[in-house]
Amino acid sequence: MLFYLLLVFQANANAQIDPAHCRYPLGMEDGRIQDHAITASSQWYETTGPQYARLNREEGDGAWCPAGLLQPSDTQYLQVDLGQLTFLTVVGTQGRYARNSGKEFARMYRLNYSHDGQLWRSWKNRLGNKTMEANDNAYVSVIKDLHPPIISRYVRLIPVTKMPTTVCMRLELYGCPWHDGLTSYSSPEGQLMMPPGYPIASLNDSTYDGAHERRKLSGGLGQLTDGVIGQDDFLVTRQYHVWPGYDYVGWRNGSLGSGYVEMEFVFDKQRNFTSMKVHSNNMFYRGVKIFSSVSCSFKPRLIATWEAEPVEFRTVLDDRNPSARYVTVPLGRRNAKALRCRFHFADVWMMFSEISFQSADTVIPTQITPVVTSPWPMEESSMPTTHKTVTNPSAKDQPDDGNTPILIGCLVTIILLLVVIIFLILWCQYVCKVLEKAPRRILEEEVTVRLSSSSDTIILQTPPVPPRVSQMDHPYERVFLLDPQYQDPAGLRNKLPELSRSAETSACGGGYAEPDVTQCTPHQCFQSSVPHYAETDIVSLQGVTGSNMYAVPALTVDSLTRKDISVAEFPRHRLLFREKLGEGQFGEVHLCEAEGLPEFLGEGAPLPDRDGRPVLVAVKQLRADATNNARNDFLKEIKIMSRLNDPNIIQLLCVCVSSDPLCMVTEYMDNGDLNMFLSQREMESTLTHANNIPAVSLSDLLHMSVQISSGMRYLASLNFVHRDLATRNCLLDRRLTIKIADFGMSRNLYSSDYYRIQGRAVLPIRWMAWESILLGKFTTASDVWAFGVTLWEIFTLCKEQPYSLLSDEQVIENTGEFFRNQGRQIFLFAPLLCPPSLFELMMRCWDRDIADRPTFEGLYQALRPHVVQ
Ligand code: ADE
């Protein structure tokens, strides 16, 4: 039993990577990458050695500088050993500032990388360019996303110059550990789809970094491991400026001389394989289908023969649902260093966009390994599959590498650890009991959340934070409750023991301004802390991933240049204060008169009719003493808002950012927020007329719902994830036009709607989808969930908070039930005023299966006909 537990614990230590979440600083700045791991081809002085190449640090003479003038032909480099295979997604560079005495920086750089420190490869972007733009001053950090990401242990940063010059650099690398351990795959080259009968699509592996000879790719990694999942329609791509079919690697049946595609996978070490996930297209009406079966052989060492008994797996083909999908192939806990899989065609074309492996890097002799077939769905899109056979090699087939004593030592250590964990769990349960007596005492204190069912208990306990971080230091920060890598509910179920562990460490270094590394070991922090995101362009980041937009590294008005903000600077002296509309974590919102704004904005400005009256605007002003983080968030909000333009989204009119305090000027919505508006009203009836109580009709409520769905439809079309849709974030004007806002101000007024952890995370848990709470996964589908809750608020006239009978802890406990889906989850009740068909629509927004939730377009189309014109 214990071994079984161990296996489950270890074997599911990984799920496929999600580049949107894999953006953790790897430790140049905070010292987790130690000096000895940072080397260089040369250095100018001792005091500009490689160990001083740490972003935002000023030790030594403030940066690494290669010796002499850098020449255009030079390949001077700074090398970082990350200690393990790492999925690198972002690089941040800075010049030498040295408290205003340095001025050297690099305008461009290249990157080389290596798995083993021997064979080096050059990074290229998706269009084949090797050079990255870098700094144009000595102090601002420039953060660049790597498209494609790099999988490697060693990285070399090579400054590039057009003219001889002195350069100095500081660096941070961002990413996460590459648990797959895959170091290369080989396959037949991807092919070109051509008419007749088919559209044109180039299905090659365009970022493959290995050898390409005689129509075969070998020794490298490429698009199948870049974390980019293809769309249902293979012609539609997630990248810009690329060709149709870009996201997939595909092959035509019959072109390879066999009815299958053979791929080999080589790993960093011998591993114990649980499963392989293959993201596959299934556009059957274009002749593309997932594979009909796959057979995988294993070998324990590179120089060895393939073991006799392959694992075979047969899928159930699906001619009804053309969605691309992950097919999970159980690998029977076989030990291997290399795998060879033959994927059999089910139709004319077979296309993959991603392949990942779930394995433990501890090889456990197979005789103690029970044959485990996964009880979880084999495909995330719910297509049924069957196993044909999952065979296990017998003990005598296993490599005896003489490691038995080490193995026993490891197992004993693990058993001891488990005993400690069990003790901790029992202790936590005791603490929970004490806390349950004071159920709502949670906000400012230590948080203990139990997700319990008859069989499992998850304890998420934030560790004590000795130096208390005041909330104003983290005014707008949100953290993931759990390790964001767990994107896969099936994997998550098996990961339950680990969830508690990662939650325990989720407070590690949680403040991106002040990473509190004292709270966790470097290893823990590396693994699961959520210190901050690095990103350059929040809008494009969202465009690609539809994902998180909150925590960012220092962003200054300099790094966020005026070109990023596409609205004009308005002279601040022409904003005449009228009254205070609200107060929040950033500062205050004022109602102001904007003198000469129509002339300033020119023809066609989105201003309401004035009828000769002064133009009123809402001015959100950042507190003068705001922290850098608040400032970053404020500037980002401006940047995002300046690119949004929709009748149901609040319009940014202009800004005052050339001097402090920073201000953003938006249209003024004279009916305030929807929550306040509805909570002060009753449904229209003769009684309300008689008593002069302000009233709304069912048709008003439907009209509001349609408008919100329309605004959200617009955001979704930009792949923009709002993450905090609720009536409190919808504003109304006098004609009852609704515009979606959010942007932090409501948090003081409605603070009980948000769940705080250690004063750091502020989460609207009652509006959040289960996967956002448990997995930290925010997508348009989780916005749809929040839309369902917003509809519920509207039809209860905001008289009640969602799940008002549940404490915050119970809401999270209920989220566990949503996830387990054993019929014990509590749904919001049907509001009295709500037509049954509308409640059904809400329920669909809360579908446990993310893919089964409606789209905003669908919601809009479903709601619109009900509005009386
Ligand atoms: N409160 C915050 N923003 C507002 C706006 N744009 N109009 C009215 N009240 C607000």
Side-chain angles (χ1 to χ4, degrees):
M1 174 62 186
L2 195 53
F3 286 125
Y4 175 74
L5 262 180
L6 276 177
L7 284 174
V8 171
F9 193 84
Q10 291 174 347
N12 293 288
N14 357 338
Q16 66 273 18
I17 215 129
D18 176 356
H21 291 109
C22 170
R23 302 167 71 85
Y24 308 114
L26 296 177
M28 290 292 283
E29 182 173 349
D30 65 21
R32 279 175 292 127
I33 298 175
Q34 294 177 7
D35 286 353
H36 64 77
I38 313 170
T39 50
S41 53
S42 74
Q43 62 192 48
W44 195 299
Y45 292 124
E46 273 299 292
T47 49
T48 52
Q51 69 273 33
Y52 301 117
R54 298 180 183 277
L55 198 84
N56 292 329
R57 296 267 292 260
E58 294 282 358
E59 281 90 3
D61 271 341
W64 162 69
C65 314
L69 287 182
L70 187 75
Q71 303 295 329
S73 58
D74 272 0
T75 44
Q76 296 275 1
Y77 61 81
L78 175 76
Q79 178 172 322
V80 181
D81 173 3
L82 294 164
Q84 61 177 325
L85 282 177
T86 304
F87 193 87
L88 278 178
T89 53
V90 180
V91 176
T93 55
Q94 243 173 347
R96 189 178 80 90
Y97 182 62
R99 294 177 201 85
N100 212 8
S101 64
K103 52 181 176 4
E104 303 82 5
F105 55 88
R107 289 192 183 276
M108 292 175 288
Y109 61 86
R110 288 188 286 121
L111 292 168
N112 283 359
Y113 59 95
S114 167
H115 300 145
D116 53 10
Q118 310 289 320
L119 177 64
W120 289 87
R121 301 169 204 259
S122 298
W123 177 83
K124 292 198 259 324
N125 73 9
R126 295 198 187 273
L127 300 174
N129 300 328
K130 290 185 178 172
T131 311
M132 299 265 256
E133 298 287 323
N135 304 87
D136 53 18
N137 62 48
Y139 43 92
V140 174
S141 52
V142 171
I143 308 285
K144 291 281 178 190
D145 278 56
L146 295 176
H147 294 301
I150 289 175
I151 296 168
S152 72
R153 172 175 163 173
Y154 301 90
V155 185
R156 280 182 182 166
L157 175 82
I158 304 165
V160 172
T161 182
K162 287 190 179 145
M163 286 183 304
T165 182
T166 318
V167 299
C168 298
M169 295 191 84
R170 286 178 286 167
L171 169 73
E172 182 61 279
L173 298 168
Y174 302 81
C176 59
W178 175 238
H179 288 303
D180 273 35
L182 182 66
T183 54
S184 70
Y185 61 79
S186 61
S187 73
E189 70 177 8
Q191 299 168 350
L192 193 64
M193 182 184 251
M194 297 267 278
Y198 296 96
I200 295 181
S202 178
L203 301 163
N204 60 333
D205 193 340
S206 58
T207 62
Y208 193 75
D209 62 5
H212 188 169
E213 278 169 354
R214 278 180 272 133
R215 303 197 173 282
K216 204 168 172 238
L217 309 179
S218 59
L221 297 172
Q223 282 187 266
L224 295 181
T225 50
D226 64 0
V228 179
I229 308 300
Q231 314 244 35
D232 292 349
D233 181 349
F234 58 86
L235 297 172
V236 179
T237 64
R238 293 197 190 265
Q239 327 292 329
Y240 300 110
H241 311 304
V242 290
W243 49 90
Y246 180 89
D247 291 342
Y248 284 96
V249 182
W251 307 269
R252 192 190 168 102
N253 197 353
S255 65
L256 304 169
S258 61
Y260 56 80
V261 171
E262 181 175 285
M263 299 184 72
E264 276 185 34
F265 304 93
V266 176
F267 294 81
D268 51 349
K269 52 172 99 97
Q270 225 186 89
R271 292 172 164 266
N272 183 264
F273 287 94
T274 319
S275 55
M276 166 175 71
K277 287 188 160 199
V278 184
H279 189 263
S280 189
N281 193 276
N282 196 47
M283 221 176 165
F284 52 82
Y285 54 87
R286 288 209 192 270
V288 190
K289 273 200 197 134
I290 65 166
F291 47 92
S292 58
S293 66
V294 60
S295 150
C296 293
S297 305
F298 300 79
K299 62 181 176 185
R301 290 170 297 278
L302 284 188
I303 316 286
T305 50
W306 295 104
E307 287 171 359
E309 296 163 81
V311 163
E312 310 222 343
F313 178 78
R314 183 170 292 282
T315 64
V316 173
L317 296 171
D318 177 2
D319 287 338
R320 271 179 297 172
N321 178 358
S323 302
R325 62 203 58 203
Y326 266 110
V327 182
T328 303
V329 179
L331 293 177
R333 304 204 180 288
R334 294 278 292 270
N335 295 330
K337 162 115 174 138
L339 263 77
R340 184 188 64 196
C341 295
R342 290 180 175 161
F343 298 92
H344 293 262
F345 284 92
D347 209 324
V348 183
W349 284 91
M350 186 157 65
M351 295 179 192
F352 300 157
S353 72
E354 200 68 12
I355 301 186
S356 69
F357 290 86
Q358 292 68 52
S359 67
D361 54 12
T362 316
V363 175
I364 294 181
T366 318
Q367 67 264 37
I368 58 162
T369 311
V371 178
V372 180
T373 55
S374 168
W376 314 120
M378 285 302 137
E379 294 178 33
E380 284 166 11
S381 64
S382 77
M383 193 189 82
T385 53
T386 55
H387 307 255
K388 194 171 133 205
T389 51
V390 180
T391 49
N392 238 7
S394 63
K396 68 178 160 41
D397 295 333
Q398 293 305 304
D400 178 8
D401 49 13
N403 283 339
T404 315
I406 300 174
L407 206 63
I408 291 173
C410 288
L411 287 176
V412 169
T413 319
I414 292 167
I415 290 166
L416 286 176
L417 273 176
L418 276 177
V419 170
V420 173
I421 290 169
I422 289 167
F423 170 78
L424 278 176
I425 289 172
L426 291 174
W427 181 76
C428 290
Q429 277 176 339
Y430 168 75
V431 175
C432 285
K433 281 218 177 87
V434 175
L435 279 180
E436 269 163 17
K437 290 193 183 125
R440 291 192 65 87
R441 213 181 53 194
I442 184 168
L443 292 190
E444 296 306 320
E445 298 182 15
E446 184 176 80
V447 182
T448 302
V449 181
R450 295 171 63 229
L451 306 183
S452 58
S453 73
S454 52
S455 58
D456 49 34
T457 299
I458 304 176
I459 309 224
L460 313 186
Q461 186 173 33
T462 55
V465 184
R468 183 76 181 215
V469 184
S470 86
Q471 210 203 311
M472 281 319 293
D473 288 340
H474 301 279
Y476 196 50
E477 184 183 347
R478 297 161 189 219
V479 298
F480 295 107
L481 282 180
L482 299 174
D483 190 333
Q485 278 185 32
Y486 304 123
Q487 295 299 307
D488 162 33
L492 181 77
R493 291 203 196 189
N494 289 338
K495 283 201 69 64
L496 290 180
E498 287 207 351
L499 288 183
S500 56
R501 217 182 37 172
S502 76
E504 277 167 24
T505 54
S506 69
C508 296
Y512 46 90
E514 300 151 337
D516 188 354
V517 283
T518 57
Q519 290 170 43
C520 51
T521 64
H523 177 70
Q524 281 172 322
C525 285
F526 185 80
Q527 295 262 323
S528 50
S529 72
V530 188
H532 73 246
Y533 274 166
E535 56 191 10
T536 39
D537 183 337
I538 197 76
V539 174
S540 70
L541 174 84
Q542 291 216 345
V544 172
T545 66
S547 194
N548 193 297
M549 55 174 260
Y550 288 93
V552 284
L555 186 77
T556 60
V557 189
D558 300 311
S559 70
L560 186 93
T561 51
R562 281 303 282 129
K563 75 174 163 30
D564 290 317
I565 303 173
S566 48
V567 288
E569 175 83 17
F570 188 70
R572 109 182 20 251
H573 66 268
R574 282 162 47 188
L575 292 173
L576 310 178
F577 176 82
R578 288 285 167 264
E579 69 183 70
K580 189 161 133 183
L581 292 173
E583 190 170 354
Q585 292 154 325
F586 279 121
E588 293 180 344
V589 184
H590 297 160
L591 172 62
C592 291
E593 192 186 317
E595 271 185 340
L597 185 64
E599 297 69 29
F600 179 83
L601 294 176
E603 287 257 303
L607 290 173
D609 288 340
R610 289 179 297 149
D611 306 324
R613 288 190 303 269
V615 179
L616 293 176
V617 290
V619 178
K620 188 159 136 189
Q621 181 172 313
L622 183 71
R623 204 189 301 281
D625 60 350
T627 60
N628 264 346
N629 297 333
R631 202 179 160 82
N632 287 346
D633 286 336
F634 196 87
L635 289 166
K636 274 193 353 189
E637 191 181 332
I638 290 180
K639 182 173 163 187
I640 291 164
M641 283 185 73
S642 71
R643 296 180 187 183
L644 301 178
N645 182 5
D646 182 78
N648 297 114
I649 302 289
I650 196 85
Q651 182 76 45
L652 181 68
L653 299 171
C654 52
V655 291
C656 308
V657 291
S658 61
S659 59
D660 279 333
L662 305 182
C663 288
M664 65 175 93
V665 180
T666 64
E667 53 192 325
Y668 171 58
M669 303 292 282
D670 34 20
N671 254 319
D673 75 64
L674 182 58
N675 191 284
M676 204 67 90
F677 180 86
L678 287 179
S679 61
Q680 292 163 354
R681 277 163 175 75
E682 292 299 343
M683 276 313 274
E684 209 166 58
S685 72
T686 41
L687 226 57
T688 48
H689 284 305
N691 296 336
N692 247 351
I693 299 173
V696 283
S697 65
L698 197 59
S699 152
D700 289 334
L701 300 185
L702 281 163
H703 185 221
M704 289 166 182
S705 312
V706 171
Q707 292 184 71
I708 300 173
S709 68
S710 180
M712 290 307 295
R713 178 177 69 145
Y714 170 74
L715 292 185
S717 74
L718 300 178
N719 278 327
F720 183 98
V721 181
H722 186 288
R723 300 176 41 132
D724 197 4
L725 179 62
T727 53
R728 63 181 169 276
N729 289 324
C730 298
L731 299 170
L732 280 100
D733 68 11
R734 72 185 56 176
R735 295 189 186 128
L736 301 195
T737 302
I738 294 203
K739 306 210 177 206
I740 299 167
D742 161 21
F743 309 114
M745 295 309 299
S746 52
R747 247 148 254 191
N748 262 14
L749 205 55
Y750 296 101
S751 60
S752 64
D753 286 345
Y754 295 88
Y755 178 77
R756 286 158 209 274
I757 297 174
Q758 296 279 2
R760 286 165 172 261
V762 187
L763 298 169
I765 51 170
R766 289 162 201 271
W767 283 258
M768 278 164 69
W770 69 263
E771 73 275 15
S772 308
I773 294 180
L774 295 180
L775 307 173
K777 185 172 173 176
F778 289 85
T779 58
T780 295
S782 59
D783 275 351
V784 165
W785 180 295
F787 178 77
V789 182
T790 307
L791 282 183
W792 182 90
E793 290 188 275
I794 293 174
F795 285 86
T796 52
L797 294 187
C798 297
K799 299 287 186 287
E800 215 178 297
Q801 198 191 30
Y803 311 100
S804 59
L805 296 178
L806 303 188
S807 66
D808 287 342
E809 295 92 311
Q810 286 166 331
V811 169
I812 294 188
E813 202 162 320
N814 193 40
T815 305
E817 295 301 352
F818 264 112
F819 167 68
R820 278 185 281 272
N821 206 21
Q822 293 164 344
R824 285 199 293 251
Q825 64 274 45
I826 298 169
F827 284 91
L828 291 166
F829 58 81
L832 271 181
L833 308 169
C834 176
S837 58
L838 193 74
F839 187 61
E840 265 166 44
L841 205 61
M842 290 181 204
M843 292 288 284
R844 287 188 51 213
C845 296
W846 307 321
D847 202 305
R848 191 242 191 218
D849 277 345
I850 299 169
D852 287 348
R853 291 178 205 152
T855 58
F856 279 115
E857 180 63 41
L859 285 162
Y860 173 73
Q861 297 300 347
L863 288 165
R864 200 181 46 163
H866 298 284
V867 176
V868 185
Q869 297 297 330

